[in-house]
Amino acid sequence: MARPSQTELAVLGALSTGAMSGYELRRAITEVLGHFWHESFGQIYPCLTALETTGAVRRSGPGRTSGTVFEMTPTGRTRLRALLAEPYPPAPARNGLLLRLFFGSELPPGAPESLLTQAQEAARESLERYAAVRADLDDDTALDDDLDDDTDRAQALRTATLSFGEHMARAQLAWAQESLAALERLDEEAPRARG
Amino acid sequence: MARPSQTELAVLGALSTGAMSGYELRRAITEVLGHFWHESFGQIYPCLTALETTGAVRRSGPGRTSGTVFEMTPTGRTRLRALLAEPYPPAPARNGLLLRLFFGSELPPGAPESLLTQAQEAARESLERYAAVRADLDDDTALDDDLDDDTDRAQALRTATLSFGEHMARAQLAWAQESLAALERLDEEAPRARG
DNA sequence: AGCAGCATGTAAGTGGTTACATGATTGT
DNA sequence: ACAATCATGTAACCACTTACATGCTGCT
């Protein structure tokens, strides 16, 4: 694991919150980072063994299978900080929805509209999920009054990632609505414009 | 090319607007679809030969190198429509910025702020590019008064993909500003909250 | 005894990028 | 003559997914 990798960063990041098994690691990633990150077992386990050989991670617990947890070492924390400071690779621009919409005039009428409605629905569902997460988050902060500045700041950063999802979902919702309206307007005007 | 592929769709889509060489194909994709799609030569050429063997695409022109253009056949257009109707695979959730922000409390103070400022700047640049594209688009529609309903609709769909980019960029801008403000507020309040 | 969930891994395959090799054409 | 750009491709590699193999633990 010489070259920096995003999987490595995600794994070390998750491990920075406490020691856990590979299985738990994956669940932690999908549950906590789920709205902007994903890892599969096929990535996690090889990454863990690689991290072990570089000394960033240590296995502790009884033995081979059960009870074994992966724990971040000081070397690992240094590595985590280095990876965090690394510039992130640009996300590959590949939006299947827009690709289909762009050439949507090849499809029967109504098909692009249906794509937009689906996108709208997806955005609404995302917003609902985010609202639930935010409710949990607010409960937590209301309970803990004795936060120091560090956890306060950490909390704010985590909230920012949630807020990103909310902004994007709202934007997608507005866009889909707007685009649907534009297509509808076209349908109404078109027949008159003939001749 | 038995299994549907997004590259195939992008290539056929681009070819549906006219015959061109592989080289031109790539330029067309990056220029026209650039804000939501990308293809490299390593994908395009193998895909073209595969499409040729299935009869979706035909080579025409003088010979081996120069002058050869790839042309979509009727089979190809059928294939394009089938691919467009296919549900699109979900985009893998992997946002490097959010990953760094989430664990940003491990970084020296100021680093997350710098990430947000960069994101803000990137969004601003995107908006500028989109504004330029939209200006071109409006010029075109102003010139052509004799549009039929079909091109009108095609135009609306293409505009929708541009509009998507604009909505997302604006949302990112707003989010970055909001998050920066939240962090700043924290900095001001923190010292007082001590003791 | 049997099932659900915990747990660790591997192998094969996919989709994609990057770098390279090669050569023609056009402009300066 | 040289450089830039047009043009077509291949090979090596990388990241990632999926499916599979294996076995443990705890519950009913």
Side-chain angles (χ1 to χ4, degrees):
Chain A
M1 199 107 323
R3 297 249 315 292
S5 112
Q6 303 250 98
T7 295
E8 200 188 347
L9 175 50
V11 165
L12 282 177
L15 242 32
S16 78
T17 68
M20 57 187 106
S21 72
Y23 193 89
E24 288 171 312
L25 195 49
R26 193 221 188 177
R27 197 177 43 196
I29 290 174
T30 55
E31 273 175 13
V32 184
L33 273 37
H35 67 286
F36 65 84
W37 204 262
H38 173 260
E39 292 295 346
S40 65
F41 284 132
Q43 290 277 105
I44 289 174
Y45 283 112
C47 179
L48 278 171
T49 45
L51 284 171
E52 205 183 6
T53 62
T54 63
V57 146
R58 184 195 314 134
R59 240 173 257 248
S60 71
R64 279 291 292 113
T65 47
S66 158
T68 322
V69 291
F70 296 90
E71 186 183 359
M72 190 165 68
T73 65
T75 312
R77 190 162 295 267
T78 308
R79 177 73 175 153
L80 171 59
R81 291 193 178 129
L83 287 173
L84 281 171
E86 203 83 9
Y88 51 92
R94 277 176 152 246
N95 187 319
L97 168 61
L98 294 191
L99 186 59
R100 276 154 186 85
L101 235 35
F102 193 93
F103 298 113
S105 49
E106 291 282 338
L107 285 171
E113 281 83 351
S114 146
L115 282 172
L116 285 168
T117 311
Q118 276 170 245
Q120 207 180 10
E121 208 37 55
R124 257 197 272 270
E125 275 164 31
S126 295
L127 280 175
E128 265 175 48
R129 276 202 321 280
Y130 295 153
V133 176
R134 191 172 274 280
D136 284 1
L137 221 89
D138 290 350
D139 282 2
D140 287 359
T141 33
L143 270 156
D144 291 331
D145 244 5
D146 55 345
L147 295 167
D148 59 50
D149 295 356
D150 259 19
T151 47
D152 237 23
R153 192 172 154 83
Q155 186 69 21
L157 288 169
R158 288 198 292 275
T159 306
T161 65
L162 176 60
S163 168
F164 181 90
E166 290 169 338
H167 270 90
M168 289 301 148
R170 279 198 293 268
Q172 175 158 330
L173 191 58
W175 163 77
Q177 257 154 1
E178 192 184 294
S179 301
L180 277 169
L183 287 177
E184 214 172 301
R185 216 177 315 122
L186 218 62
D187 274 358
E188 283 164 17
E189 282 167 16
R192 269 185 281 132
R194 289 298 80 200
Chain B
M1 199 106 327
R3 296 251 313 293
S5 112
Q6 303 249 98
T7 295
E8 199 188 347
L9 175 50
V11 165
L12 282 177
L15 242 33
S16 79
T17 67
M20 56 187 105
S21 72
Y23 193 88
E24 288 171 312
L25 195 49
R26 194 223 187 176
R27 197 176 42 196
I29 289 174
T30 54
E31 272 175 13
V32 185
L33 273 38
H35 68 287
F36 65 85
W37 205 261
H38 173 260
E39 293 296 346
S40 62
F41 284 132
Q43 290 277 105
I44 289 174
Y45 282 113
C47 180
L48 278 171
T49 45
L51 285 170
E52 204 182 5
T53 62
T54 64
V57 146
R58 186 195 312 134
R59 238 172 259 249
S60 71
R64 278 291 291 111
T65 48
S66 159
T68 320
V69 290
F70 296 89
E71 186 183 1
M72 190 166 66
T73 65
T75 312
R77 190 163 294 267
T78 308
R79 178 73 175 152
L80 170 60
R81 288 190 179 132
L83 288 173
L84 281 171
E86 202 83 10
Y88 50 91
R94 276 177 152 246
N95 188 319
L97 168 62
L98 295 190
L99 186 59
R100 276 155 186 82
L101 234 36
F102 193 92
F103 298 112
S105 48
E106 291 282 337
L107 285 171
E113 282 83 350
S114 146
L115 282 171
L116 285 168
T117 311
Q118 277 170 244
Q120 206 180 11
E121 207 36 56
R124 256 197 272 269
E125 276 164 31
S126 295
L127 280 175
E128 265 174 49
R129 278 204 318 281
Y130 296 152
V133 176
R134 191 172 274 280
D136 284 0
L137 222 89
D138 290 350
D139 282 1
D140 288 357
T141 33
L143 269 156
D144 290 332
D145 244 3
D146 54 346
L147 296 166
D148 59 50
D149 294 356
D150 259 18
T151 46
D152 236 24
R153 192 173 154 81
Q155 186 68 19
L157 287 168
R158 288 198 291 275
T159 305
T161 66
L162 176 60
S163 168
F164 181 90
E166 290 169 338
H167 271 90
M168 289 301 149
R170 278 198 295 267
Q172 175 156 331
L173 192 57
W175 163 77
Q177 257 152 0
E178 193 183 295
S179 301
L180 276 169
L183 287 177
E184 213 172 302
R185 216 176 316 120
L186 217 61
D187 274 358
E188 283 163 16
E189 282 167 15
R192 270 184 280 132
R194 285 301 78 199

